[in-house]
Amino acid sequence: MQHPEPNNNEIKLSSKRYIVSKTDPKGIIVYGNDYFVEISGYSEAELLGKAHSIVRHPDMPKIAFKLMWDRIKQAKNFIAVVKNLAKDGSYYWVVTDFEPKVDPITNEIISHTAFRKAAPRKAIDTMIPIYAKLLEIEQDEGMEASEKYLREFLEENNTTYDDFVNNLVGNKGLFKLFFTAMKKLFS
C-alpha cells in the first residue's frame, strides 16, 4: 500500500478520546480501536495485517523509531511525541505510550499495545524543530549522526530522553493516571 502524499491539514484530536492499537512483535497491526480507525481514515480491514508504519509521517526522523524499537524489544515502555499520517495525507500529533506484553513462560514479547492521546501544543511546538534537525542530519549524514546529535542535545540540556519527554508532555498527575488506567483496561 502506497503512503498518501502529506498535506498541511492538521487533525485536531479530542482530549477526551484516546487511540489504541495493538501489534504483533514485528509491528503488524492486530487491533485498532474505533478512534484509531476514525482518525487514521483507514477502514479496520485496511489497517489489520498491515505494518504500523502505515501511519508514519515522513516528517518523523528514523532515529525516533530506532529508539522506540530498541526500547520495546527489551520489553520496556517508551513514551514519545509522534506526528502520524492519515490516509488522506492529513496529520495528527499524539503522545504515544508503548506497552509490551511478555509471555510469562517464555519471557518473549508477544505483542505491543500503543496508547495515544492528543499531544499538548507546547510539546508539538518543541518537537517540530528538533525533528526537522534530526531529519536533516539523517538525510545528509545518516541515522548514526542523527543519534549522536540527539545524545548531545540531551547531554547539553542535562537530561535523559525519558525525562525530557515526560517533562514536555506533563507525564505526571492526570496524564500519567490516564496511561495507567488505559493499560489496566487493555491488559
Side-chain angles (χ1 to χ4, degrees), residues 51-79:
H52 210 287
S53 59
I54 192 170
V55 295
R56 180 174 177 184
H57 197 286
D59 287 353
M60 286 297 298
K62 288 184 177 85
I63 188 60
F65 298 101
K66 179 189 182 296
L67 291 175
M68 176 200 75
W69 279 108
D70 286 354
R71 185 75 65 89
I72 64 178
K73 280 181 179 173
Q74 298 171 33
K76 293 179 182 166
N77 285 20
F78 186 75
I79 295 179

Side-chain angles (χ1 to χ4, degrees), residues 171-182:
N171 190 26
K172 53 190 175 294
L174 289 175
F175 204 91
K176 200 170 191 90
L177 282 174
F178 160 80
F179 281 126
T180 304
M182 286 298 98

Side-chain angles (χ1 to χ4, degrees), residues 79-91:
I79 295 179
V81 178
V82 179
K83 183 178 187 179
N84 280 335
L85 183 65
K87 184 179 181 179
D88 69 358
S90 301
Y91 65 93

Side-chain angles (χ1 to χ4, degrees), residues 15-185:
S15 61
K16 295 176 174 45
R17 296 186 70 191
Y18 52 88
I19 294 172
V20 179
S21 61
K22 191 177 209 172
T23 69
D24 71 8
K26 292 182 170 62
I28 303 301
I29 300 169
V30 296
Y31 168 80
N33 74 344
D34 293 344
Y35 198 44
F36 181 44
V37 171
E38 178 187 326
I39 294 300
S40 72
Y42 291 99
S43 69
E44 189 177 21
E46 288 175 304
L47 289 169
L48 296 179
K50 300 294 185 308
H52 210 287
S53 59
I54 192 170
V55 295
R56 180 174 177 184
H57 197 286
D59 287 353
M60 286 297 298
K62 288 184 177 85
I63 188 60
F65 298 101
K66 179 189 182 296
L67 291 175
M68 176 200 75
W69 279 108
D70 286 354
R71 185 75 65 89
I72 64 178
K73 280 181 179 173
Q74 298 171 33
K76 293 179 182 166
N77 285 20
F78 186 75
I79 295 179
V81 178
V82 179
K83 183 178 187 179
N84 280 335
L85 183 65
K87 184 179 181 179
D88 69 358
S90 301
Y91 65 93
Y92 55 100
W93 283 93
V94 291
V95 175
T96 302
D97 188 346
F98 291 90
E99 174 88 348
K101 186 169 181 132
V102 177
D103 183 301
I105 296 168
T106 65
N107 227 18
E108 289 184 20
I109 296 169
I110 48 179
S111 67
H112 301 287
T113 305
F115 304 94
R116 297 182 198 81
K117 268 185 80 63
R121 195 78 238 169
K122 175 187 82 145
I124 296 167
D125 293 343
T126 301
M127 293 312 294
I128 287 173
I130 294 171
Y131 285 160
K133 182 68 178 171
L134 291 170
L135 206 54
E136 179 189 320
I137 292 169
E138 281 176 15
Q139 288 164 349
D140 294 345
E141 306 170 53
M143 195 166 47
E144 290 74 21
S146 159
E147 187 170 12
K148 181 177 184 279
Y149 173 85
L150 181 59
R151 187 171 285 116
E152 289 168 357
F153 170 86
L154 293 169
E155 284 172 8
E156 282 169 20
N157 287 280
N158 201 23
T159 189
T160 64
Y161 174 85
D162 291 340
D163 287 346
F164 180 74
V165 173
N166 285 333
N167 290 332
L168 195 58
V169 302
N171 190 26
K172 53 190 175 294
L174 289 175
F175 204 91
K176 200 170 191 90
L177 282 174
F178 160 80
F179 281 126
T180 304
M182 286 298 98
K183 289 174 185 179
K184 284 187 178 134
L185 205 60

